[in-house]
Amino acid sequence: MSTTDTQPRRSIGAARNPDSHAAILAAAEEIFCESGYAGFSIEAVARRARAGKPTIYRWWPSKAHLLLDVYTRLKSSRMPDPDTGTLEGDIRSFLTELVRFWSGNTGGVYKSLIAEAQADHKAAEALQAYSIERTQHTAGMFERAKARGEMRADADSLAASDLMSAYAWKLLLTDRLADQADIIDKVTSILVRGLVK
Amino acid sequence: MSTTDTQPRRSIGAARNPDSHAAILAAAEEIFCESGYAGFSIEAVARRARAGKPTIYRWWPSKAHLLLDVYTRLKSSRMPDPDTGTLEGDIRSFLTELVRFWSGNTGGVYKSLIAEAQADHKAAEALQAYSIERTQHTAGMFERAKARGEMRADADSLAASDLMSAYAWKLLLTDRLADQADIIDKVTSILVRGLVK
C-alpha cells in the first residue's frame, strides 16, 4: 500500500500491508508505554510510524480502538491465560495477575480509557466490543473447568467470566489494586463455591 | 450560622445550621436532577441556594463529595434496601433495582463521576470513601442471610457485597443496562450458590 492517500483506495483487505500495519502498531505500543493515555493520539502515532492519519483510520476507527489493540497485545504477552488445572487456581491466578498487570502503567491507561468511554461515543463502542470479546475469551477458562468435570454444566461460563472481571474493574476504578491478596481469596472462594459441582 | 463569611468561624459542629445545610442540599438535588453532571458545580449550587461557596466547601470538600451526598439521598429514597426474605430474592432485587435506578439520569451522573475519579484526586477520594461505605452498608443484606441461617458463616459478607456491586458497575460502564434480566438471573445464581450453606 502506498503511504500517500492520493492513489485510489483498494479494499481494506487488499490494502492491508503487513509492514505498515505492524509499523503503526509498533509505534503505537512505544507511545503507549512511554507516554500513557495522555500522550497517546492518532497524530503522535502517525508521526512516529511515518504513516498518514487516514491510513491509521482505515484500520482503526478511533484512538480508543487503536489503543485497545495495543493494550490487548501487551496483555496477551505479559499475562498468559491461567491454566493451573483447577478452577480455584485459575480464578485466583486471573485476578492476581490482572491486578499485577494493571499495577504498571497499563492500569492507568485502561482506567483512562474506561473514563473516556463514559463521555465519548466511539470510545464507548470500542470498550464495549473489547469487553464482550474478552468476556467470551475468558469464558474459555470456565469451559475448561466444565470439560474437566469440575464445574456445573448449568452454571453460565459467560456470566462467570463477566462477574469475575467486573470485580477486577471495580478494584481498578476505586484505586484498590494494592494488597488485594486477602480480598481476592475471599472473592475466589465465593466464585468457586458458586460454580463447582 | 451567618451566610456571610466575615464573622469568625465557629466549629463545624456548631456552625452546621440545619436550614442552610438543607437549603444547599435541596439546591444541589434540583441541579442534579435538572442538569446532570455537566451542569453540576459548586458555583451553580451556591447561586441556587443563595449560599457562599466557602460555606459549601466547609461541609463538602469537593463537588464530587456534594454530588455523592445528593446521589446517596436519591438512592435511599428511590431504591430501598431489598428485604425479600431470601438471599436469592435480595440479590436479584438489588441488581434489578440498581439497574433500574441507573436507567434514569442518575446512571449518567454516576458514570460521569466514576470517570472524573480516574483523573481527579478529590473525586477519587470521594468515590473510594463512598464505595467503601456502600459496600459495608450492603453487606448488611448478607449478614441478614447469615442471621437467617441461609448463608455460610465463613463466606465474607463484605466480599460478597463488593462482588455483587462490581457486576452492576460493569453493566453501567459498558452501556449494558437494558434487558439484563437474563444475565442478572445467571449472576444471581452463581452468587447464591457461592454463599448458601
Side-chain angles (χ1 to χ4, degrees):
Chain A
M1 194 190 66
S2 166
T3 53
T4 75
D5 289 288
T6 52
Q7 296 187 351
R9 284 192 186 176
R10 284 160 291 176
S11 77
I12 289 180
R16 188 177 277 241
N17 175 329
D19 288 340
S20 185
H21 190 261
I24 292 166
L25 271 175
E29 183 175 326
E30 283 172 20
I31 291 170
F32 180 116
C33 293
E34 286 166 17
S35 315
Y37 196 78
F40 193 97
S41 68
I42 295 288
E43 286 74 10
V45 173
R47 251 195 323 273
R48 179 82 62 110
R50 298 185 189 179
K53 280 170 60 180
T55 306
I56 298 180
Y57 280 118
R58 210 174 303 157
W59 290 328
W60 295 277
S62 74
K63 167 187 155 179
H65 288 83
L66 175 55
L67 190 134
L68 276 169
D69 202 345
V70 172
Y71 174 84
T72 307
R73 284 155 196 270
L74 285 173
K75 198 157 162 233
S76 300
S77 70
R78 295 187 195 170
M79 194 194 139
D81 292 337
D83 194 10
T84 64
T86 69
L87 187 58
E88 182 172 354
D90 281 1
I91 292 174
R92 184 180 293 109
S93 170
F94 178 91
L95 290 171
T96 306
E97 293 304 317
L98 187 51
V99 162
R100 186 172 306 163
F101 175 63
W102 281 341
S103 299
N105 80 330
T106 49
V109 173
Y110 196 52
K111 71 198 298 199
S112 297
L113 185 84
I114 293 172
E116 181 157 338
Q118 307 317 310
D120 179 271
H121 183 63
K122 282 197 171 170
E125 271 182 7
L127 180 66
Q128 191 185 62
Y130 169 80
S131 168
I132 289 171
E133 188 280 320
R134 291 315 295 181
T135 301
Q136 286 167 342
H137 175 86
T138 304
M141 199 177 99
F142 297 97
E143 290 297 310
R144 288 192 290 279
K146 283 188 184 177
R148 285 195 303 269
E150 197 182 354
M151 180 166 148
R152 286 186 289 132
D154 66 334
D156 193 87
S157 293
L158 273 178
S161 168
D162 209 14
L163 178 59
M164 178 178 71
S165 86
Y167 187 70
W169 277 41
K170 195 178 176 199
L171 291 180
L172 174 69
L173 296 169
T174 53
D175 292 323
R176 292 186 294 144
L177 292 183
D179 305 321
Q180 287 306 316
D182 180 55
I183 185 90
I184 284 176
D185 272 351
K186 289 170 176 165
V187 165
T188 299
S189 157
I190 294 170
L191 289 171
V192 170
R193 284 285 293 251
L195 298 168
V196 293
K197 281 182 177 170
Chain B
M1 193 192 64
S2 166
T3 53
T4 74
D5 290 290
T6 53
Q7 296 188 352
R9 283 192 185 173
R10 285 160 288 175
S11 77
I12 289 178
R16 188 176 278 240
N17 174 329
D19 288 339
S20 186
H21 191 260
I24 292 165
L25 270 175
E29 183 174 326
E30 283 172 22
I31 291 169
F32 181 115
C33 294
E34 287 166 18
S35 315
Y37 196 79
F40 193 97
S41 67
I42 296 289
E43 287 73 10
V45 173
R47 252 195 323 274
R48 178 83 61 111
R50 297 186 190 178
K53 279 169 58 180
T55 305
I56 298 180
Y57 279 118
R58 212 175 302 157
W59 290 328
W60 294 277
S62 74
K63 166 187 156 179
H65 288 83
L66 175 55
L67 190 135
L68 277 170
D69 203 345
V70 172
Y71 175 84
T72 307
R73 284 156 196 270
L74 286 174
K75 197 157 163 231
S76 299
S77 69
R78 295 187 196 170
M79 193 194 139
D81 291 338
D83 194 10
T84 64
T86 67
L87 186 59
E88 183 172 354
D90 281 1
I91 293 175
R92 184 181 292 109
S93 169
F94 178 92
L95 290 172
T96 306
E97 292 305 318
L98 187 50
V99 162
R100 186 172 305 163
F101 175 64
W102 280 341
S103 300
N105 81 330
T106 50
V109 173
Y110 196 52
K111 70 198 298 198
S112 296
L113 185 84
I114 293 173
E116 180 157 340
Q118 307 316 310
D120 179 90
H121 183 64
K122 282 196 172 171
E125 272 182 6
L127 179 66
Q128 191 185 61
Y130 168 80
S131 169
I132 289 171
E133 189 279 321
R134 292 315 295 181
T135 301
Q136 285 168 343
H137 175 87
T138 304
M141 199 177 100
F142 297 97
E143 288 298 309
R144 288 192 290 279
K146 282 187 185 180
R148 285 195 302 268
E150 195 182 357
M151 179 166 147
R152 287 186 289 133
D154 66 333
D156 193 87
S157 292
L158 274 178
S161 168
D162 209 13
L163 178 59
M164 179 179 69
S165 85
Y167 187 70
W169 278 41
K170 196 178 175 198
L171 291 180
L172 174 70
L173 296 169
T174 53
D175 292 322
R176 291 186 294 145
L177 293 183
D179 305 320
Q180 287 306 314
D182 179 56
I183 186 90
I184 284 176
D185 271 351
K186 288 170 177 167
V187 165
T188 299
S189 156
I190 294 170
L191 289 171
V192 170
R193 285 284 294 250
L195 297 168
V196 294
K197 283 181 176 171

